[in-house]
């Protein structure tokens, strides 16, 4: 099914057709990517960040976060343990922490790639050269959300960043042959449904291989502390439309969805999503990687999370994939 920009806007505005929308997204998911759910083991390895994204609890101006950085040896150890637990993809995510230079990252990538797993990076904006080195070292995928395609809103949210550079990153990653993931926040202050429609069309235009969508959740130690949270339903609708328009891509049921709805990830899996990214670090780090408040599972350990999500996925009649979960063509 194809929708025009105007149709997308109408669907986003009108909640009376939501059941139809979510069913259509679920059917599209089944037809193009099947019933398998891909689990990606997420390692949040540093909460040190030079950026000042207004919504994010890890922004450099927030002095009340206790900062941490997991050592390269321990990152590799967490990754190896996750592979032993059955994960076929490892995702390394962090703030924009300059300690992790090109060489240090390449060393970590090579060591993790000795294990039998695909590797995704989510470490922010880098030069073409850095991305190229990460690819040569063996990284398979890269996630970098555009956050919003509304240039004015982007500027308001990221006073020290440049929208065009973020687009440049996505284009470089595609050019280098990474499976490239992007996505947006839903419910940012001053965000319009028109701009959300443009976000979805942008994902299609750049041919994103993965798209992560989550509601904005106000963090008490950020300039947006008094802003209203995004809603679960609108985030789910943007995700469902993304599935319907982009068809065969990978779409995670994001953790932020579950923060706003206790069954959020399962509902997302039944409305277009086919990926879940359980945390594989131990609880001591989880609470410190507070991009938004009330993150789920911050007191859990990796073994528990794996079992918990597997049970929920099987209970809705879906299976856990045993392969790497690249985009199906
Ligand atoms: N430094 C990396 C990883 C960022 S954290 C990068 O720049 O790509 C991953 C995602 O968390 C961000 O892309 C953003 O969309 C989301 N996020 C940050 N703050 C949030 C908040 N307050 N509510 C919901 N999601 C948030």
């Amino acid at each position: 099914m194809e929708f025009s920009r105007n149709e997308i806007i109408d669907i986003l505005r009108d909640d009376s057709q939501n059941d139809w929308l979510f069913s259509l997204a679920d059917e599209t998911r089944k037809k193009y990517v099947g019933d398998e759910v891909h689990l990606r083991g997420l390692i949040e390895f540093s909460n040190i960040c030079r950026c000042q994204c207004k919504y994010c609890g890890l922004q450099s101006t927030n002095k009340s976060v206790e900062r941490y950085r997991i050592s390269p040896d321990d990152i590799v150890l967490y990754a190896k343990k996750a592979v032993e637990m059955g994960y076929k993809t490892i995702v390394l995510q962090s703030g924009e922490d300059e300690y992790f230079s090109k060489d240090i990252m390449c060393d970590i990538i090579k060591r993790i790639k000795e294990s039998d797993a695909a590797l995704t990076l989510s470490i922010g904006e880098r030069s073409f050269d850095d991305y190229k080195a990460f690819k040569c070292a063996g990284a398979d995928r890269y996630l970098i959300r555009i956050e919003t395609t509304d240039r004015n809103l982007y500027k308001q949210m990221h006073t020290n960043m440049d929208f065009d550079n973020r687009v440049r990153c996505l284009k470089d990653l595609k050019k280098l042959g990474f499976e490239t993931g992007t996505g947006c926040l839903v419910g940012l202050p001053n965000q319009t449904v028109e701009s959300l429609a443009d976000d979805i069309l942008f994902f299609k235009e750049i041919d994103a291989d993965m798209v992560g969508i989550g509601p904005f959740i106000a963090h008490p130690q950020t300039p947006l502390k008094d802003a209203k949270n995004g809603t679960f339903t609108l985030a789910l609708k943007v995700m469902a439309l993304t599935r319907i328009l982009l068809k065969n891509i990978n779409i995670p049921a994001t953790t932020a969805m579950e923060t706003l709805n206790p069954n959020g990830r399962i509902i997302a899996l039944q409305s277009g999503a086919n990926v879940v990214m359980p945390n594989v670090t131990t609880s001591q780090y989880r609470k410190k990687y507070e991009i938004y408040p009330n993150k789920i599972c911050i007191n859990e350990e990796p073994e528990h999370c794996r079992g918990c999500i597997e049970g929920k996925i099987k209970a809705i009649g879906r299976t856990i994939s045993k392969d790497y979960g690249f985009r199906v063509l």
Side-chain angles (χ1 to χ4, degrees):
M1 181 100 62
E2 295 302 326
F3 292 128
S4 67
R5 182 173 184 270
N6 280 338
E7 284 169 327
I8 297 173
I9 293 167
D10 287 345
I11 293 168
L12 289 174
R13 281 222 177 91
D14 172 15
D15 275 337
S16 69
Q17 306 298 315
N18 286 1
D19 288 348
W20 161 80
L21 177 70
F22 298 142
S23 307
L24 180 59
D26 197 41
E27 281 165 29
T28 311
R29 184 270 310 154
K30 195 176 171 70
K31 178 169 169 200
Y32 287 92
V33 298
D35 279 338
E36 289 195 332
V37 175
H38 302 285
L39 297 182
R40 324 283 203 202
L42 174 65
I43 303 174
E44 295 161 339
F45 66 91
S46 167
N47 69 355
I48 297 172
C49 193
R50 62 183 169 144
C51 299
Q52 285 153 41
C53 309
K54 286 232 166 82
Y55 43 80
C56 182
L58 302 184
Q59 59 184 281
S60 59
T61 50
N62 182 1
K63 301 296 175 214
S64 32
V65 218
E66 200 188 312
R67 303 283 172 172
Y68 73 90
R69 175 184 286 148
I70 303 182
S71 71
D73 285 350
D74 284 350
I75 296 172
V76 175
L77 215 63
Y78 274 119
K80 297 214 155 133
K81 275 197 198 140
V83 175
E84 278 165 26
M85 245 184 278
Y87 288 99
K88 300 301 273 177
T89 294
I90 301 302
V91 182
L92 297 184
Q93 191 181 86
S94 68
E96 294 211 3
D97 179 352
E98 284 160 334
Y99 167 84
F100 290 95
S101 61
K102 175 171 85 177
D103 291 346
I104 292 181
M105 278 316 298
C106 285
D107 176 59
I108 296 170
I109 294 164
K110 284 182 196 147
R111 288 165 68 194
I112 293 179
K113 286 298 288 185
E114 287 167 11
S115 299
D116 179 28
L119 180 60
T120 307
L121 303 178
S122 174
I123 62 174
E125 297 181 17
R126 296 283 186 130
S127 65
F128 181 84
D129 242 36
D130 282 16
Y131 288 149
K132 189 172 172 191
F134 300 159
K135 190 81 186 63
C136 293
D140 302 283
R141 310 187 186 124
Y142 204 103
L143 306 174
I144 182 163
R145 289 184 177 175
I146 193 68
E147 315 294 1
T148 174
T149 55
D150 176 337
R151 281 174 179 271
N152 284 329
L153 181 58
Y154 190 91
K155 198 75 228 159
Q156 288 168 38
M157 292 295 125
H158 315 92
T159 29
N160 302 323
M161 287 162 76
D162 175 17
F163 179 80
D164 291 315
N165 193 51
R166 208 145 179 100
V167 176
R168 189 272 304 160
C169 290
L170 284 162
K171 293 196 169 148
D172 284 355
L173 292 161
K174 273 297 244 188
K175 215 180 294 165
L176 287 162
F178 280 96
E179 277 211 338
T180 304
T182 189
C184 64
L185 285 162
V186 177
L188 288 168
N190 302 325
Q191 192 177 35
T192 61
V193 287
E194 287 81 359
S195 83
L196 289 169
D198 290 333
D199 293 352
I200 299 168
L201 294 171
F202 172 82
F203 305 151
K204 191 157 172 98
E205 182 191 313
I206 64 158
D207 189 25
D209 302 296
M210 311 175 277
V211 174
I213 287 154
F216 155 69
I217 302 169
H219 188 292
Q221 277 130 17
T222 64
L224 299 185
K225 61 180 187 304
D226 298 321
K228 263 179 51 195
N229 284 345
T231 67
F232 176 72
T233 304
L234 188 57
L236 200 65
K237 288 175 74 172
V238 174
M239 191 201 78
L241 282 161
T242 301
R243 167 62 71 201
I244 294 164
L245 271 92
L246 280 82
K247 301 185 173 62
N248 64 355
I249 64 165
N250 284 317
I251 299 185
T254 56
T255 315
M257 295 261 197
E258 192 124 328
T259 296
L260 292 190
N261 182 313
N263 202 26
R265 287 181 301 176
I266 291 300
I267 297 171
L269 286 174
Q270 295 175 307
S271 313
N274 69 323
V275 170
V276 181
M277 295 164 63
N279 201 310
V280 296
T281 50
T282 42
S283 58
Q284 86 225 61
Y285 298 119
R286 296 187 182 197
K287 34 180 119 24
K288 296 183 193 154
Y289 198 83
E290 199 187 55
I291 47 187
Y292 52 82
N294 306 317
K295 266 179 77 190
I296 58 162
C297 310
I298 54 168
N299 296 314
E300 310 297 351
E301 300 300 334
E303 295 74 17
H304 172 89
C305 288
R306 174 92 196 186
C308 166
I309 196 69
E310 274 201 30
K312 289 182 182 179
I313 290 166
K314 288 177 184 158
I316 56 165
R318 302 272 282 278
T319 52
I320 311 287
S321 169
K322 292 194 171 56
D323 72 37
Y324 304 108
F326 284 95
R327 181 181 186 177
V328 294
L329 292 170

